[in-house]
Amino acid sequence: MIWDFAFTFEVIPSLLQGLLVTIQLTLIGYSIALTLGLLIAVVRRVPYVGSIVHFVMEFIRTTPLIIQLVFVFFLLPASYALPVVGPVPITAFTVGVVVLGVHYAAYTAEVYRSGIEGVAKGQWEAARALSLPTTRTWGAVVLPQAIRKVIPALGNYLISMFKDTPLLFAIGVAELLTRAQRVGSESFRMMEAITLVGLLFLLVSIPSAIVIRRLEKRYAAV
């Protein structure tokens, strides 16, 4: 099959729209993963409650992401009725971004946990000796040191999430791969569409990987 350059330039705008959706999914989902993962890491240190949270996170980590996406999407109703606002639709994008965020929160929580456990015991003892409140101990002593150490590892999960977004085709999210499949099936030219998908993923992934490698070098001695 000969490469059709005219067709390539024709479908690029549609694929770029799909890339925009993919980036939105990644950034919003990653924000959820970072925030929820930190909360989980802190809660896991609470007796009894921590054991339950650990079990739930293990279940999420050992379950395929695509299964979670399909299960949640078809389990939820099409919309929720809110007072005054009325019916609020639950879109595939919303389900996808939340499931992505929760799934990766199970991994970022472990990263945060390793960072928290890496804080020297003397730091905790010094905080207690100064009678610092718990919130002050976590916010001013523990977390600033812990998060600084795990920034490179957290960055790796950003790239992983970006590469997992094509799984959202299973619930109909019009991300990059889904748009390419639609374009290819309508025109019977899959080679150009799928090749462009690979190139666009590389266009975003490679610069991101370079930034993360620099972060690793910068914080390696921390």
Side-chain angles (χ1 to χ4, degrees):
M1 181 180 292
I2 300 175
W3 186 276
D4 189 336
F5 286 96
F7 174 75
T8 299
F9 289 112
E10 179 183 340
V11 301
I12 283 179
S14 177
L15 296 183
L16 288 177
Q17 292 178 0
L19 179 62
L20 177 60
V21 173
T22 296
I23 293 174
Q24 290 174 338
L25 286 166
T26 304
L27 294 180
I28 300 174
Y30 189 64
S31 299
I32 294 173
L34 290 180
T35 306
L36 184 59
L38 179 58
L39 178 61
I40 292 169
V42 174
V43 171
R44 278 196 56 182
R45 299 179 66 88
V46 178
Y48 304 111
V49 176
S51 299
I52 298 174
V53 172
H54 174 68
F55 173 78
V56 174
M57 293 301 102
E58 284 296 318
F59 177 80
I60 292 176
R61 277 196 297 271
T62 54
T63 308
L65 174 57
I66 192 169
I67 299 299
Q68 296 172 11
L69 286 165
V70 173
F71 179 79
V72 173
F73 181 71
F74 288 104
L75 177 68
L76 292 175
S79 65
Y80 276 109
L82 297 179
V84 181
V85 178
V88 177
I90 300 176
T91 64
F93 182 94
T94 303
V95 172
V97 77
V98 171
V99 172
L100 267 179
V102 173
H103 182 84
Y104 272 89
Y107 293 96
T108 58
E110 287 299 304
V111 175
Y112 284 125
R113 182 184 62 81
S114 66
I116 292 170
E117 293 180 351
V119 175
K121 185 178 179 181
Q123 298 290 317
W124 295 91
E125 294 174 347
R128 284 194 293 268
L130 293 171
S131 299
L132 292 180
T134 302
T135 53
R136 181 69 174 169
T137 299
W138 279 98
V141 179
V142 177
L143 291 182
Q145 298 180 66
I147 294 176
R148 183 180 178 87
K149 294 178 179 179
V150 300
I151 286 177
L154 292 174
N156 289 329
Y157 282 117
L158 174 62
I159 296 180
S160 296
M161 182 181 290
F162 178 68
K163 293 189 296 184
D164 274 349
T165 53
L167 294 176
L168 273 67
F169 82 92
I171 59 174
V173 178
E175 42 73 53
L176 180 55
L177 180 60
T178 302
R179 285 182 177 270
Q181 289 178 325
R182 291 175 182 174
V183 167
S185 61
E186 292 172 359
S187 60
F188 301 101
R189 301 198 65 88
M190 294 297 295
M191 182 177 70
E192 290 88 348
I194 299 302
T195 301
L196 287 172
V197 168
L199 292 175
L200 289 173
F201 266 98
L202 287 174
L203 185 65
V204 177
S205 295
I206 291 178
S208 301
I210 291 173
V211 171
I212 291 171
R213 295 292 85 80
R214 290 182 177 178
L215 287 174
E216 288 180 351
K217 292 179 180 179
R218 179 175 180 179
Y219 294 104
V222 176

